[in-house]
């Protein structure tokens, strides 16, 4: 942290800043320039509130030089973390695709979609059974029964499974049927849930919150890593902006930014990212071109009758074509699809 003093700051004001930093556990380094004095704080107190210093007399501004997250940071772990789940691999130059319906609806639906996405090359079957719906009157998911259908369809086609966990009490009941716990956008800052998932050893995919900054996403990741679970994948799924022609604004820039700052793999969810079926493939291609470590895509064999998110679900044929395109784009940038 660097505290820049105002040009009219007195020596006494500089001393007060130094003392406060020292009592907060920092070593200090004063640098006197022609018009301004700068106090450098040396130490790794990552969670000190910079505003305490901004309010002190004579202070012009406070600049943070190190990130507030540690375990998630690339400085802490320079090499890419690679997450392997059954046949899927995320990170380190390899990407895998997760696909399936928004919600698990019935056995025939799951078997049909699992067959189609696996033959197109997906390695993980998605399907929500505990659904975070904006309206309490919308379909809330099949719960435990849905998990069994997800597992059975995935096993029939040698796929791994991913499904959303919404609350603490669901963690144990989902343990056997899911290979990856999905933390939804609305729960990105459900810190109790994150802490408890940090105590498990199962992979977690953490989605970016509706209005979360990249730093907030990485701080939430830190909760899971701090508990000892390093099996973590991040997910860019679009953020809320002023734009009305799309469901969310898909932030492709988050992909290289996260990869620069963190070793944790990041996947993209272009389905929720843009929310319109015929715009999903261009966003998926853009994410792969940007270097993403994986994709999660909603696919439905009969999207017009889907219980949720039909309008953003690809037809199996569209998905299969997209997979061919993704293979080519990945190859062009020196990555491979697993
Ligand atoms: C989902 O994946 O179906 C979902 C609800 O996603 P999000 O949490 O990103 O809205
Ligand atoms: Mn959905």
């Amino acid at each position: 942290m660097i505290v820049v003093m105002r040009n009219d700051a007195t020596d006494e004001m500089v001393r007060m800043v130094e003392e406060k930093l020292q009592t907060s556990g920092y070593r200090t380094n004063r640098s006197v320039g022609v018009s301004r004095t700068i106090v450098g704080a040396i130490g790794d107190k990552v969670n000190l509130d910079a505003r305490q210093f901004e309010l002190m007399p004579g202070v012009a501004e406070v600049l943070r030089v190190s990130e507030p997250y540690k375990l998630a940071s690339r400085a802490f772990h320079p090499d890419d973390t690679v997450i392997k789940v059954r046949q899927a691999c995320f990170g380190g130059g390899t990407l895998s695709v997760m696909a399936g319906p928004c919600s698990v609806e019935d056995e025939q639906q799951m078997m049909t979609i699992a067959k189609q996405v696996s033959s197109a090359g997906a390695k993980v079957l998605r399907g929500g059974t505990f659904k975070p719906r904006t309206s309490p009157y919308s379909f809330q998911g099949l719960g435990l029964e849905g998990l069994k259908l997800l597992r059975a369809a995935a096993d029939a086609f040698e796929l791994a499974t991913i499904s959303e966990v919404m609350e603490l009490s669901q963690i144990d009941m989902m343990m056997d049927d899911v290979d990856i716990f999905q933390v939804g956008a609305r729960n990105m800052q459900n810190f109790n849930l994150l802490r408890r998932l940090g105590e498990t050893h199962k992979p977690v995919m953490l989605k970016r919150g509706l209005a979360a900054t990249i730093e907030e996403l990485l701080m939430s990741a830190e909760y899971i890593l701090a508990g000892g679970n390093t099996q973590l994948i991040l997910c860019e799924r679009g953020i809320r902006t002023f734009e009305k022609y799309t469901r969310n604004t898909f932030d492709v820039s988050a992909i290289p930014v996260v990869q620069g700052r963190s070793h944790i793999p990041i996947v993209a969810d272009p389905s929720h990212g843009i929310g319109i079926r015929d715009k999903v493939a261009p966003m998926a291609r853009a994410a792969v071109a940007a270097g993403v470590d994986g994709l999660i895509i909603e696919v439905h064999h009969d999207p017009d009758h889907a219980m949720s998110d039909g309008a953003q679900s690809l037809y199996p044929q569209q998905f299969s074509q997209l997979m061919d395109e993704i293979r080519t784009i990945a190859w062009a940038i020196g990555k491979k699809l697993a």
Side-chain angles (χ1 to χ4, degrees), residues 200-222:
T200 71
H201 294 285
K202 205 177 260 296
V204 175
M205 183 185 80
L206 175 64
K207 291 186 117 185
R208 181 176 180 183
L210 276 70
T213 62
I214 295 171
E215 185 169 285
E216 285 163 342
L217 173 64
L218 291 169
M219 289 307 293
S220 288
E222 193 78 8

Side-chain angles (χ1 to χ4, degrees), residues 7 21 40 44 46 67 124 142 160 168 183 192 201 228 251-252 259 294 297 309:
N7 47 14
L21 284 168
D44 62 357
V46 289
E67 290 118 351
V124 182
L142 295 183
L168 287 175
V183 177
N192 287 335
H201 294 285
D251 182 10
V252 189
Q259 287 170 335
I297 297 179
D309 283 349

